[in-house]
Amino acid sequence: MRLLATGHAVRVARSARFVAVPSTASLRRASSNAALEQGTRQPGPPGVPCAEEATYEKTRSDILLKKDGSRSAAQAPPQSPVPSRTPFEQYLIDEKKPNTILNDEGSSGVVISSRPHTFDATTNLSPSILSHVDRRLYMQPDHPICITRKLIESVFSPPTYENHIASNPVVTATDNFDGLGFPADHPGRSRTDTYYLNENHVLRTHTSAHQLHAFSRLATRSSTTGETQQAGYSGYTICADVFRRDSIDRSHFPVFHQMEGAHTWGYKPSKTKQDSRYELFKRRKNEIARDLYDLPSHGLKVQDLNLPFHKDNPAQAKHDHEEVRLMAKHLKKSLEILVAKVLTQARDAGGSMVGTSQEPLEVRWIDAYFPFTSPSWELEVFWQGEWLELLGCGIVKQELLEKAGCGDKIGWAWGIGIERLAMLLFGIPDIRLFWSQDERFLSQFKEGTITKYEPFSKYPECYKDVAFWISAAPAAATPVAETGSRGGVAAAAAGGDARKASPAESQLAAFHENDVMEIVRDSAGSLAEDVKLVDEFVHPTSGRKSLCYRIVYRSLERTLTNEEVNQIHGEVVARLASELDVELR
Ligand code: FA5
Ligand code: MG
């Protein structure tokens, strides 16, 4: 397996091709810089940021600290953008070039949200991904992402929900994975799926990376005495951009926006007498039932098999089944209200907003799996001929609430893809449009109004195929093997696709489809509309596997010339050959 492991290491280093391959000495320096970063990290009590996180918090002011609308410190020009202290900073910080790679004497790094990060052997960022950092579409009032964020916040609003923005996309791998109970071999952790700045820091792959902090904040803001809890929030939303090395098609983009939401219920002791545990519990259950009863009806047609909790999607041992049943109903209905509002507004904006059909949208609940909720579900909508996933959700794992200092509470959480909702809302057919700077796109949207998107033109597509042999082993190399119904629940967990390569670094696959996607994205940018495997076969005598990918190139803003496409495709093919362990056919 040494050969494979080496192959992967080379691939990682090469995929970050702009990173100067460090000399031994500079590697030593980089690792000591990394140690410096790490050295400030002290484990803290639950809910209290560790030392590094505390300073981090000051520079980013992102998570949970500012409510939408108010100008957060993150948007204000930083007073002193980079506190210059470490050798790394002295060498590499260039305040005029945020989000660009900085190289010096073989060492390299990047500054994101005023904070420097040193690269190491884990780094797999690309210039194209960095160019999307800091666009903050969710803060541009007339942008569909911002309008959709506000619509979601209008359903999940104060005084029940505190609405947050998390502007710094860099989080620790601990916050993104470990703190949420991701198993060591979860596909989402793989470098083929996640953008690593270095061993300890990633571009967050989901807003759930902030869950623990958000629950801690709820714990401190709403004490367990009945009186103060009434005054505090019982839930939150968090909006942020998230990053995944994902497939390329009209509903997937490596940078997208998510909204996280949660609601909790705690014990409310009586002010006049000492409650028994049973009384506390009964009061909490009654409160959930009352909150459920208070939710308005929505008239949306929803398919829900409403399966009893089962071994693949169990209620937690610490939970009372009736409470879980009530919370699940409250969770699903709250989200259905949101989707109904989106569809009503879309309809009012001008008829069919979802492709070709005038029929009411079909919406369905299916079982899902997330490491931090149980039971869990996903909500899908039938859109342009297929089921499109809108969100994942579930009953929050009790250990997580305990870790956050609110073990007396129970609750639910969800995570929505904002683009997916915005596509329904405005009838936007391609996810790449959200990043368009073309006035013909941007001028169509106005704060506070929902208007149907009018395509300004459909430019012709141009597709090219590329075929290559991959190493025969290991078996995990197949990118298309079906694993039962919709890839099985294991595939549905905050990034990472169990159908692709092995996520365990010790069992590296010879080939991973996401590496093809990344090269295409890096060479073609948003001109790549779709990348699909169109042919696959195993040679009968050599046993080698051949894959053929079709890349559809199309600009949303102009007609591409043949020469232009040939040049881009030529670069893609050359990079596939030189950066991956494949042989062109
Ligand atoms: C998550 O990210 C979980 N953190 C959601 C969650 C939160 C579950 C809280 C439970 C509790 P998932 O990987 O399914 O789950 O992503 C959530 C949503 O993000 C998807 O349903 C989809 O709407 C959107 N999404 C995922 N990948 C992409 C992509 N590449 N491009 C655009 N939208 C995407
Ligand atoms: Mg999912």
Side-chain angles (χ1 to χ4, degrees):
M1 288 294 113
R2 184 169 145 58
L3 185 69
L4 289 172
T6 314
H8 185 80
V10 168
R11 191 164 70 233
V12 168
R14 282 180 178 164
S15 72
R17 66 196 156 110
F18 42 84
V19 180
V21 178
S23 64
T24 320
S26 63
L27 258 183
R28 245 183 276 121
R29 195 169 114 206
S31 64
S32 71
N33 287 335
L36 255 178
E37 263 186 328
Q38 234 185 336
T40 53
R41 261 180 49 212
Q42 306 289 333
V48 179
C50 66
E52 186 195 33
E53 284 163 343
T55 27
Y56 204 5
E57 205 78 5
K58 266 190 225 150
T59 53
R60 59 183 171 170
S61 88
D62 53 2
I63 327 177
L64 328 171
L65 300 181
K66 291 291 159 192
K67 233 178 89 48
D68 163 43
S70 64
R71 187 174 162 82
S72 79
Q75 294 124 41
Q79 298 292 314
S80 152
V82 181
S84 172
R85 249 170 262 128
T86 66
F88 166 64
E89 289 166 61
Q90 282 158 22
Y91 281 119
L92 302 173
I93 301 306
D94 182 344
E95 291 162 20
K96 292 189 202 82
K97 291 188 195 154
N99 309 336
T100 50
I101 309 295
L102 304 160
N103 283 294
D104 183 80
E105 295 176 11
S107 182
S108 53
V110 65
V111 178
I112 296 179
S113 292
S114 309
R115 204 179 150 80
H117 298 276
T118 315
F119 292 161
D120 62 19
T122 326
T123 309
N124 62 352
L125 295 174
S126 70
S128 87
I129 211 70
L130 284 171
S131 71
H132 289 85
V133 168
D134 268 359
R135 287 278 301 274
R136 302 203 183 162
L137 303 181
Y138 50 78
M139 293 304 287
Q140 296 170 20
D142 295 335
H143 197 281
I145 293 293
C146 186
I147 298 172
T148 309
R149 163 173 75 82
K150 289 187 175 167
L151 190 143
I152 304 172
E153 288 173 352
S154 74
V155 175
F156 297 93
S157 59
T160 306
Y161 299 89
E162 190 175 18
N163 303 131
H164 303 294
I165 299 281
S167 58
N168 184 343
V170 181
V171 299
T172 60
T174 308
D175 280 347
N176 203 77
F177 299 121
D178 309 79
L180 293 166
F182 276 66
D185 63 349
H186 190 280
R189 286 179 185 264
S190 162
R191 279 177 293 177
T192 51
D193 287 77
T194 295
Y195 291 103
Y196 280 83
L197 279 89
N198 51 41
E199 202 186 346
N200 300 314
H201 292 91
V202 299
L203 291 177
R204 69 184 149 221
T205 63
H206 56 164
T207 40
S208 303
H210 303 300
Q211 253 191 34
L212 206 58
H213 296 279
F215 282 126
S216 300
R217 184 172 160 89
L218 271 191
T220 53
R221 294 292 302 273
S222 59
S223 94
T224 45
T225 72
E227 210 171 30
T228 45
Q229 182 161 32
Q230 296 242 308
Y233 298 101
S234 46
Y236 60 80
T237 66
I238 306 168
C239 172
D241 45 358
V242 300
F243 301 76
R244 290 184 193 176
R245 291 176 104 235
D246 213 331
S247 38
I248 300 177
D249 60 36
R250 69 194 162 185
S251 62
H252 288 84
F253 203 73
V255 191
F256 59 101
H257 296 83
Q258 277 191 347
M259 188 87 140
E260 185 94 357
H263 191 120
T264 58
W265 290 269
Y267 290 137
K268 290 186 177 164
S270 151
K271 276 179 253 169
T272 50
K273 64 177 177 68
Q274 184 74 21
D275 293 298
S276 69
R277 209 173 150 66
Y278 174 72
E279 281 167 327
L280 283 172
F281 165 73
K282 207 171 102 189
R283 202 171 298 136
R284 187 171 75 178
K285 188 155 77 177
N286 287 342
E287 197 196 345
I288 305 171
R290 199 197 57 222
D291 285 350
L292 173 62
Y293 181 79
D294 284 348
L295 289 177
S297 52
H298 52 65
L300 188 68
K301 235 178 88 191
V302 186
Q303 289 179 29
D304 189 355
L305 292 179
N306 221 345
L307 300 170
F309 312 127
H310 54 90
K311 78 170 176 25
D312 291 329
N313 209 4
Q316 295 161 53
K318 289 178 181 167
H319 286 168
D320 169 77
H321 273 220
E322 180 58 9
E323 273 196 315
V324 179
R325 199 187 60 78
L326 288 168
M327 278 193 293
K329 279 194 154 196
H330 187 273
L331 165 63
K332 287 179 175 177
K333 193 165 177 197
S334 303
L335 289 163
E336 288 162 8
I337 289 168
L338 169 67
V339 174
K341 185 165 182 178
V342 165
L343 299 183
T344 310
Q345 298 222 3
R347 192 195 54 217
D348 295 349
S352 168
M353 61 299 164
V354 282
T356 50
S357 164
Q358 293 288 339
E359 294 295 310
L361 272 191
E362 272 189 83
V363 177
R364 72 175 184 191
W365 285 106
I366 52 168
D367 273 0
Y369 163 80
F370 298 99
F372 38 94
T373 53
S374 189
S376 310
W377 302 275
E378 282 179 343
L379 185 63
E380 296 185 334
V381 59
F382 199 69
W383 181 75
Q384 296 192 350
E386 54 190 50
W387 287 102
L388 176 72
E389 185 192 314
L390 288 183
L391 61 94
C393 64
I395 305 300
V396 181
K397 288 260 177 90
Q398 205 55 33
E399 303 87 81
L400 210 107
L401 291 168
E402 282 160 14
K403 235 193 285 180
C406 42
D408 65 315
K409 297 182 199 295
I410 51 175
W412 52 242
W414 47 254
I416 293 179
I418 298 185
E419 276 83 351
R420 302 269 174 97
L421 222 52
M423 286 165 101
L424 298 180
L425 193 56
F426 297 95
I428 295 174
D430 190 313
I431 199 166
R432 291 176 301 161
L433 279 162
F434 291 102
W435 299 93
S436 173
Q437 314 241 34
D438 193 313
E439 266 311 299
R440 290 172 296 175
F441 174 77
L442 294 173
S443 63
Q444 294 196 28
F445 308 100
K446 279 280 158 291
E447 183 176 10
T449 57
I450 309 297
T451 39
K452 185 171 172 339
Y453 166 69
E454 294 296 340
F456 38 86
S457 192
K458 180 95 173 163
Y459 296 97
E461 68 168 38
C462 173
Y463 71 79
K464 305 253 172 216
D465 292 348
V466 55
F468 47 79
W469 298 104
I470 60 172
S471 296
T478 177
V480 289
E482 283 303 328
T483 53
S485 68
R486 37 180 322 279
V489 287
D497 187 337
R499 290 169 304 173
K500 296 176 184 168
S502 163
E505 298 291 311
S506 57
Q507 304 166 27
L508 295 168
F511 170 84
H512 195 299
E513 184 173 88
N514 281 358
D515 288 334
V516 175
M517 302 292 172
E518 189 67 1
I519 286 177
V520 174
R521 207 151 34 225
D522 219 20
S523 301
S526 62
L527 300 182
E529 179 176 275
D530 197 80
V531 182
K532 268 203 178 54
L533 186 78
V534 288
D535 189 36
E536 173 183 27
F537 80 94
V538 177
H539 193 280
T541 45
S542 71
R544 290 173 88 196
K545 178 173 271 192
S546 160
L547 302 175
C548 177
Y549 281 88
R550 176 157 301 166
I551 306 170
V552 177
Y553 298 95
R554 190 204 308 259
S555 166
L556 297 165
E557 290 153 7
R558 63 197 168 81
T559 301
L560 296 174
T561 63
N562 263 338
E563 297 79 62
E564 206 175 353
V565 174
N566 285 340
Q567 198 185 340
I568 297 169
H569 190 68
E571 184 184 327
V572 168
V573 172
R575 287 189 60 192
L576 288 173
S578 69
E579 296 178 24
L580 304 186
D581 191 13
V582 304
E583 187 188 326
L584 295 175
R585 292 187 59 205

